[in-house]
Amino acid sequence: MWTTLKWTAARAVLRTVGRASRGIRIGYRFGFDSGVMLDHVYENRARGVLGVGRVIDRVFLDAVGWRAVRARRELLSRVLREEIARREGEVFLLDVAAGPGRYLQDLVEQTPPGRLRVLCRDLAPAGLRKGEAMARERGLAGITYQVGDALVPVPPEGRAPDVIVVSGLYELLLDDAEVRQSIERLRGLLAEDGVLVFTTQTRHPQLELIAGVLTDRDGEPWIMKCRDMGQAEDWAARAGFKEVSSRRERVGLFTVTLCRA
């Protein structure tokens, strides 16, 4: 009874006063788990209506989960830069749930011309449109966008990907079998010497709050599932990857796992 009243009151505050924050408005329009929301978190610039909106947005962006998401991006970018550096020629990277792909655009911009080609896929057109607009503004030619289902991946036209990325998706899947099957399917899409890089949320101190107050892209309570890093590594090994290793981001909620075919 008390818990229900608490979450009802919190939702009421967010849907009224909270909407002065740009981040909270984005969350209610596109889903707090959406690529558009993630892009706002990555940008990390508080915006809103007048001063109060910016203050609320800063508090929102400084939540431990979002700080961990930004730390996850830093670690993921580092892992990808290292993988690109160890390869010769052009590296073809596929992100199967990319959203706008801001961090991938940064990666393209930081990589010498002709060394990296990126394909961003996502089921949500809004994030893809935003990514395309951002890429045009930045004058980036090495990144393209395409609608696609991460759980039913279609082989890209032409060559097989050297690197496949799955970031921020698996914690949204409550069924372990879906995660295992995803890893197996993506193993089949990779080039012969390719790598799969995925993230795992191993813990989160605010899962109950998030599920009680925030909504996903379908307007339903945003429910996530944490998993043990070792369990995720075991699934990758069982999918046929020869080398599997993980690193934890500095906030401590996520790991980044690299799986070498």
Side-chain angles (χ1 to χ4, degrees), residues 37-58:
M37 180 77 258
L38 199 62
D39 190 63
H40 180 64
V41 171
Y42 282 164
E43 193 175 10
N44 196 25
R45 182 162 67 92
R47 285 176 285 177
V49 179
L50 303 176
V52 65
R54 290 191 292 275
V55 170
I56 295 171
D57 208 38
R58 174 44 56 202

Side-chain angles (χ1 to χ4, degrees), residues 12-66:
V13 171
L14 283 186
R15 290 183 177 276
T16 53
V17 179
R19 284 184 182 272
S21 152
R22 178 174 176 82
I24 292 173
R25 288 203 308 275
I26 289 173
Y28 280 122
R29 180 178 178 185
F30 297 103
F32 287 89
D33 63 337
S34 67
V36 179
M37 180 77 258
L38 199 62
D39 190 63
H40 180 64
V41 171
Y42 282 164
E43 193 175 10
N44 196 25
R45 182 162 67 92
R47 285 176 285 177
V49 179
L50 303 176
V52 65
R54 290 191 292 275
V55 170
I56 295 171
D57 208 38
R58 174 44 56 202
V59 172
F60 177 71
L61 288 169
D62 284 346
V64 64
W66 294 140

Side-chain angles (χ1 to χ4, degrees), residues 124-146:
L128 298 174
R129 288 196 299 267
K130 182 171 185 179
E132 288 174 331
M134 288 164 47
R136 283 196 300 270
E137 290 174 5
R138 299 173 70 168
L140 298 177
I143 186 167
T144 55
Y145 291 81
Q146 183 181 87

Side-chain angles (χ1 to χ4, degrees), residues 72-86 107 163 195-198 245-247 256-260:
R72 181 185 72 188
R73 175 194 60 180
E74 293 171 8
L75 176 56
L76 179 59
S77 296
R78 190 182 317 134
V79 168
L80 293 176
R81 286 195 299 269
E82 291 171 359
E83 184 60 29
I84 293 166
R86 72 182 298 275
L107 195 62
V163 181
V195 299
L196 170 66
V197 182
F198 65 83
S245 61
S246 300
R247 304 187 208 175
V256 174
T257 299
L258 186 144
C259 315
R260 198 171 299 283

Side-chain angles (χ1 to χ4, degrees), residues 188-218:
L189 257 62
L190 278 169
E192 185 176 346
D193 62 343
V195 299
L196 170 66
V197 182
F198 65 83
T199 65
T200 302
Q201 182 172 263
T202 59
R203 70 181 188 87
H204 198 304
Q206 297 178 325
L207 285 181
E208 185 182 5
L209 169 66
I210 291 168
V213 177
L214 305 183
T215 52
D216 63 18
R217 66 192 68 196
D218 297 319

